[in-house]
């Protein structure tokens, strides 16, 4: 009887250890990249940009808005606020920006996040885009709803087969950094086959993966040779040029 009790106790200890280890792994895997200090500061309404946050998205609205508005899907396991510096820079050019907030900070959990934003703002036209995993999910939404957006942009990202835009008339912009070591280069090359012939490609010389947002270094990424500010400024200029051709 004592041996049986000891065996049950040992099994209980082993199961508890497995559960604790599994819980620790899940916690570590799902811990998101938080916004850096400059991203927190960018969340403040000032300088003609009104910042508002609800449960589903963060809005950056300029005093005088021009179309189209921009819906942005964050990268995987990156908090939405970490893109506030980029969103503010875009808003300063006159475009309203909506950063979608994703459950578990994973765009794959809410691919249709754009739907509610579009529904709530029926008088606006939109372009949709995203960083990394966010861009993949944005392309899937655009592929299913090509009549709801004027174009789509990818930052360190690409479409997969489910998000193929090849047969659409959507305008497309693809932006990558030369020092990005996290983007899957094989998938990126394959993804180009799912893009229309009029796709505009732009390379940020010296840019890496993480500096499209403001959340600090990302494990496995290359080291950027330009500052985060410079990288994002170049992205904004590329977006401006591309958006200018939509009018």
């Amino acid at each position: 009887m004592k041996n049986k009790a000891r065996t049950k106790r040992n099994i209980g200890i082993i199961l508890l250890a497995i559960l604790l280890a599994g819980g620790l792994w899940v916690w570590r895997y799902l811990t998101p990249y938080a916004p850096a200090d400059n991203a927190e500061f960018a969340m403040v309404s000032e300088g003609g940009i009104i910042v508002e946050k609800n449960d589903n998205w963060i809005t950056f609205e300029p005093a005088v808005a021009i179309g189209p508005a921009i819906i942005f899907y964050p990268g995987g396991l990156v908090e939405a606020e970490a893109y506030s510096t980029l969103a503010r820079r875009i808003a300063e050019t006159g475009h309203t920006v909506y950063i979608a907030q994703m459950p578990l900070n994973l765009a794959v959990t809410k691919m249709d996040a754009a739907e509610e934003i579009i529904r709530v703002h029926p008088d606006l036209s939109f372009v949709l885009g995203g960083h990394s995993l966010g861009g993949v999910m944005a392309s899937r939404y655009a592929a299913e709803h090509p009549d709801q957006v004027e174009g789509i942009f990818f930052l360190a990202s690409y479409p997969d087969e489910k998000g193929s835009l090849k047969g659409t008339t959507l305008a497309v912009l693809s932006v990558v950094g030369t020092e990005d070591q996290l983007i899957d280069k094989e998938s990126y090359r394959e993804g180009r086959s799912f893009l229309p012939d009029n796709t505009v490609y732009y390379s940020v010389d010296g840019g890496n993966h993480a500096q499209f947002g403001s959340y600090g270094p990302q494990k496995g990424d290359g080291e950027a040779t330009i500052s985060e500010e410079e990288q994002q400024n170049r992205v904004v200029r590329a977006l401006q040029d591309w958006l200018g051709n939509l009018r």
Side-chain angles (χ1 to χ4, degrees):
M1 292 294 292
K2 288 184 178 180
N3 288 337
K4 275 189 175 183
R6 187 180 299 113
T7 299
K8 286 182 178 180
R9 186 169 61 251
N10 290 340
I11 291 174
I13 292 171
I14 292 171
L15 289 174
L16 179 60
I18 291 172
L19 288 172
L20 287 173
L24 179 61
W25 181 88
V26 170
W27 176 79
R28 290 185 63 183
Y29 179 77
L30 293 180
T31 299
Y33 287 93
D37 288 345
N38 61 329
E40 296 281 9
F41 296 147
M43 289 288 295
V44 177
S45 294
E46 62 179 9
I49 306 298
I50 302 300
V51 182
E52 296 182 338
K53 179 179 177 182
N54 61 32
D55 291 339
N56 297 311
W57 63 80
I58 306 169
T59 305
F60 293 78
E61 184 174 7
V64 179
I66 58 176
I70 293 170
I71 300 172
F72 186 85
Y73 283 12
L77 294 177
V78 181
E79 293 183 14
E81 292 85 351
Y83 296 94
S84 59
T85 50
L86 178 63
R88 175 175 284 277
R89 288 186 170 107
I90 297 171
E92 287 170 351
T93 71
H95 296 272
T96 302
V97 181
Y98 301 93
I99 306 177
Q101 299 200 89
M102 301 296 184
L104 300 177
N105 298 293
L106 292 168
V108 70
T109 64
K110 197 176 181 181
M111 183 194 76
D112 61 351
E115 185 173 28
E116 185 179 5
I117 298 173
I118 294 170
R119 179 180 57 80
V120 172
H121 304 90
D123 297 330
L124 297 181
S125 59
F126 292 92
V127 297
L128 174 62
H131 176 225
S132 196
L133 176 64
V136 179
M137 294 301 110
S139 69
R140 290 188 183 183
Y141 184 85
E144 292 183 7
H145 307 87
D147 58 326
Q148 293 187 2
V149 294
E150 295 185 21
I152 183 165
F153 63 93
F154 299 89
L155 305 184
S157 187
Y158 46 82
D160 60 7
E161 189 172 4
K162 291 182 179 179
S164 177
L165 305 171
K166 189 69 174 177
T168 72
T169 58
L170 292 174
V172 179
L173 172 68
S174 174
V175 183
V176 295
T178 60
E179 307 308 311
D180 187 342
Q181 295 299 315
L182 288 175
I183 190 170
D184 187 320
K185 292 179 173 56
E186 183 176 344
S187 295
Y188 172 77
R189 286 191 293 270
E190 182 182 0
R192 293 182 68 146
S193 67
F194 302 130
L195 293 175
D197 295 337
N198 65 345
T199 298
V200 176
Y201 295 93
Y202 180 78
S203 180
V204 181
D205 189 24
N208 67 1
H209 195 85
Q211 287 189 166
F212 285 103
S214 300
Y215 52 90
Q218 192 164 351
K219 185 177 180 181
D221 197 8
E223 185 173 348
T225 59
I226 59 174
S227 68
E228 176 190 294
E229 180 180 8
E230 177 60 22
Q231 179 166 340
Q232 292 186 15
N233 283 339
R234 293 186 194 180
V235 171
V236 172
R237 287 196 293 269
L239 278 168
Q240 275 187 285
D241 291 344
W242 176 68
L243 289 167
N245 291 324
L246 299 183
R247 301 188 197 118

